[in-house]
Amino acid sequence: MILDSFLILLPLIFLALGGYFLSEFYSLSEDTLIRIVTDFFMPVLIFYSLYTSDINLAKTMRLLGAVSIVLAILFIASFVYCRLFKLDFKAFAPSILFMNSGFLGIPLMKLWGGFAAMNYIVIYDQIQTFYIFTIGIVIVTGGFTLVGVREMIKSPLLWAIVAGFLFKHLEIPVSNNLIETLGYCGAGAPALATFALGCSLRKRKVVADIHLLSGLILRFVFGFLAGWAATVLLNITGMERIVVLVASSLPSAVFSVVLPLRYGIDARFAGSLILISSILSVFIIPIVFYLGSL
């Protein structure tokens, strides 16, 4: 099972390495790539996946509960750790709370379980994205601000989530030709997202200390335990259970360094955690798949 899971990751490793090395030889803008993915390809994929998904409202609400439980547990763990060691919660917490369920999780689940598994993690990721642009902004700004609200409203990802849920659950019709067009455009999102992730990793420099090790434990171990607690509390089983466990145990999200940087917070810890956790995920993810199948 571990070998099979590792083989599932090979296309992602290849794409990420392509982005990593090509960014050395070509003038590839990390910011431009991320904006293209997050402002066009991902919103299209989100709307298409939500609209065509066969996941009903009850399952969507269960995933909402699972993500909320996972983030609540990680929030408390991060807060306690920062109080004990007198760390800046604004700089420390985002990379612990938010995992790479979009750029890495979506292509990973598509490779593992096809569109059925991908639909689950798309919903998981979009619920998390909603929290990133609400709770995440509250964390890094120290409260709701006009700038934070404006950033939330401007996000195409947030509007794609709202539109996808509304069109799906209100059964608003969309022409087949348009849906097929959105599906074709959105299909490029996972590959481009993984390539962009590889480019972003080259920009990160590691600041190694004991808190980085603690961050890795919180992100992977506490993330897995939080996902496990959510599946037990909400009685989540089967493919949905594995998606929740794997998603909760993924490396830190790229947005966890973007948000602090945007609001003038020291992002060295977040950048280091993104880099190291992304590298270690090659070995961690197969183990999570194995544990999830027990």
Side-chain angles (χ1 to χ4, degrees):
M1 179 63 186
I2 293 179
L3 178 60
D4 291 340
S5 301
F6 181 78
L7 292 176
I8 290 172
L9 287 169
L10 280 180
L12 303 184
I13 296 171
F14 184 80
L15 278 168
L17 287 176
Y20 184 88
F21 287 111
L22 286 177
S23 64
E24 174 70 14
F25 298 106
Y26 298 97
S27 180
L28 300 177
S29 168
E30 174 194 356
D31 181 66
T32 299
L33 283 172
I34 290 177
R35 286 185 179 274
I36 289 172
V37 174
T38 57
D39 291 354
F40 179 74
F41 284 96
M42 290 297 281
V44 171
L45 175 64
I46 288 164
F47 182 87
Y48 173 81
S49 298
L50 292 176
Y51 186 80
T52 60
S53 170
D54 59 357
I55 299 174
N56 57 36
L57 184 58
K59 289 185 177 181
T60 299
M61 296 308 295
R62 194 160 62 226
L63 284 172
L64 171 61
V67 177
S68 301
I69 290 171
V70 169
L71 294 183
I73 292 173
L74 294 174
F75 184 96
I76 293 171
S78 300
F79 183 79
V80 171
Y81 186 87
C82 288
R83 289 297 294 269
L84 287 174
F85 292 95
K86 297 180 172 57
L87 300 178
D88 184 0
F89 185 71
K90 297 177 184 179
F92 185 85
S95 54
I96 304 299
L97 266 67
F98 303 121
M99 65 293 295
N100 200 344
S101 54
F103 285 13
L104 180 59
I106 289 174
L108 172 66
M109 285 304 164
K110 184 180 180 182
L111 288 170
W112 173 70
F115 282 99
M118 191 187 79
N119 286 339
Y120 277 118
I121 202 166
V122 162
I123 294 175
Y124 185 108
D125 178 62
Q126 298 330 304
I127 294 170
Q128 183 196 216
T129 299
F130 178 81
Y131 279 126
I132 288 175
F133 284 95
T134 52
I135 302 300
I137 289 176
V138 169
I139 289 173
V140 299
T141 60
F144 281 104
T145 64
L146 181 60
V147 174
V149 173
R150 191 161 54 234
E151 289 299 321
M152 290 165 52
I153 295 174
K154 285 166 53 180
S155 170
L157 286 169
L158 209 57
W159 286 109
I161 296 168
V162 173
F165 278 121
L166 288 178
F167 275 69
K168 169 66 176 179
H169 296 297
L170 295 180
E171 299 182 355
I172 300 174
V174 179
S175 71
N176 289 334
N177 287 337
L178 179 56
I179 288 297
E180 290 177 3
T181 300
L182 294 177
Y184 178 80
C185 295
L192 185 55
T194 310
F195 185 86
L197 175 63
C199 292
S200 72
L201 292 179
R202 177 168 282 280
K203 309 293 183 181
R204 310 291 170 225
K205 293 183 179 180
V206 177
V207 179
D209 57 22
I210 188 63
H211 301 305
L212 179 60
L213 176 60
S214 299
L216 291 169
I217 293 172
L218 286 168
R219 174 81 298 280
F220 287 128
V221 179
F222 276 67
F224 176 82
L225 293 175
W228 176 81
T231 60
V232 171
L233 290 172
L234 300 175
N235 193 30
I236 296 174
T237 59
M239 175 182 284
E240 187 179 355
R241 176 177 180 269
I242 293 178
V243 170
V244 170
L245 290 175
V246 173
S248 304
S249 310
L250 289 171
S252 301
V254 174
F255 275 118
S256 65
V257 75
V258 173
L259 276 181
L261 284 173
R262 180 166 293 188
Y263 294 101
I265 306 298
D266 188 347
R268 286 177 296 176
F269 172 79
S272 298
L273 193 59
I274 288 173
L275 177 59
I276 300 302
S277 65
S278 296
I279 294 171
L280 290 179
S281 68
V282 174
F283 308 100
I284 299 294
I285 290 174
I287 294 173
V288 176
F289 270 117
Y290 173 75
L291 293 175
S293 66
L294 294 178

